[in-house]
Amino acid sequence: IIGVRTPALRKYAKTFAKSEDADVFMKELPHRYYEENNLHGFILCESKDIDFCLEKLDEFLPYIDNWATCDMLRPKVFKKNPERLLPFIDKWFTSGETYTVRYAIGMLLSYFLDEEFKPEYPARVASIVSEEYYVQMMQAWYFATALAKQWDAVIPFIERKCMPKWVHNKTIQKSVESYRLTTEQKEYLRTFRIF
């Protein structure tokens, strides 16, 4: 860690992304410093070309080694073209890389819980079996958010207790702490804790 603050990196990325040096920088993997990884991510977030963004993101993901860099990677271009993400999400789910799998779940959380939602998406997240804390935490975060947005479609995953115990209980904890669920929903969720 060098110590460059995130707002300064984000601001620098806006101008650096437009330079030819940005392409050279993104090819120099792995980066040495945390801030270099974040700068790489911020450059991708500035991209307006979805094909370029997906290609470069796919190259970069295996080098991500922390949750902060992973979770800040939300390129604006994905909002306009979420369906283009799906083949990549499928690939990332099976990568075996902790932060690549976490990123795949995060993409479903960010772009596929509203109009783009399909019941097979939570089924996919529930099917992940990982001992990695940062994967399990993202699974719980996904399900807590999904319960707030798609209660009827998602509550059966809790009722059937089909996820690993830690993910199941953490989902309930995060949901009960949320302001987006009713008191009745929270009480109902509490009855499904696994002891």
Side-chain angles (χ1 to χ4, degrees):
I1 294 175
I2 300 167
V4 181
R5 298 211 175 258
T6 299
L9 269 180
R10 198 182 301 266
K11 183 177 178 184
Y12 178 65
K14 287 182 185 297
T15 54
F16 186 55
K18 297 171 187 165
S19 74
E20 290 179 17
D21 290 339
D23 287 334
V24 175
F25 169 74
M26 287 195 294
K27 289 176 184 164
E28 295 173 352
L29 290 168
H31 298 304
R32 181 173 178 187
Y33 295 104
Y34 169 74
E35 288 88 352
E36 289 178 307
N37 281 326
N38 286 353
L39 177 61
H40 193 134
F42 289 137
I43 291 168
L44 290 174
C45 289
E46 292 298 314
S47 177
K48 291 174 175 46
D49 179 339
I50 192 160
D51 294 316
F52 172 83
C53 188
L54 285 167
E55 175 191 336
K56 294 299 180 186
L57 180 59
D58 201 38
E59 292 170 5
F60 180 49
L61 282 175
Y63 296 99
I64 294 177
D65 61 1
N66 68 87
W67 69 267
T69 303
C70 180
D71 292 0
M72 57 72 90
L73 266 169
R74 299 292 183 268
K76 297 169 192 168
V77 72
F78 289 174
K79 279 188 178 179
K80 296 175 185 172
N81 306 279
E83 72 287 345
R84 295 287 304 281
L85 276 170
L86 290 171
F88 287 87
I89 290 171
D90 288 341
K91 177 182 172 185
W92 298 332
F93 262 120
T94 60
S95 73
E97 299 281 339
T98 298
Y99 295 102
T100 303
V101 175
R102 180 182 173 95
Y103 190 74
I105 300 167
M107 290 297 94
L108 288 180
L109 187 156
S110 295
Y111 302 109
F112 297 92
L113 281 179
D114 296 307
E115 312 83 51
E116 303 285 337
F117 177 80
K118 291 182 181 172
E120 59 259 33
Y121 300 150
R124 188 76 194 269
V125 176
S127 72
I128 296 169
V129 178
S130 173
E131 296 300 314
E132 294 289 339
Y133 171 82
Y134 290 105
V135 171
Q136 292 181 336
M137 185 58 86
M138 184 59 86
Q139 284 176 283
W141 184 14
Y142 172 87
F143 273 98
T145 306
L147 283 165
K149 293 185 169 203
Q150 300 287 344
W151 175 269
D152 291 337
V154 175
I155 191 61
F157 291 92
I158 302 300
E159 293 168 336
R160 292 193 310 261
K161 300 179 181 178
C162 59
M163 293 182 286
K165 178 181 175 180
W166 191 92
V167 174
H168 177 91
N169 285 339
K170 184 59 75 172
T171 296
I172 293 171
Q173 176 193 332
K174 291 170 89 55
S175 296
V176 167
E177 292 169 355
S178 171
Y179 294 107
R180 297 187 286 182
L181 295 180
T182 67
T183 302
E184 293 75 20
Q185 287 171 320
K186 291 177 184 182
E187 287 304 316
Y188 185 64
L189 284 170
R190 284 187 181 101
T191 67
F192 290 99
R193 282 197 176 119
I194 301 173
F195 297 98

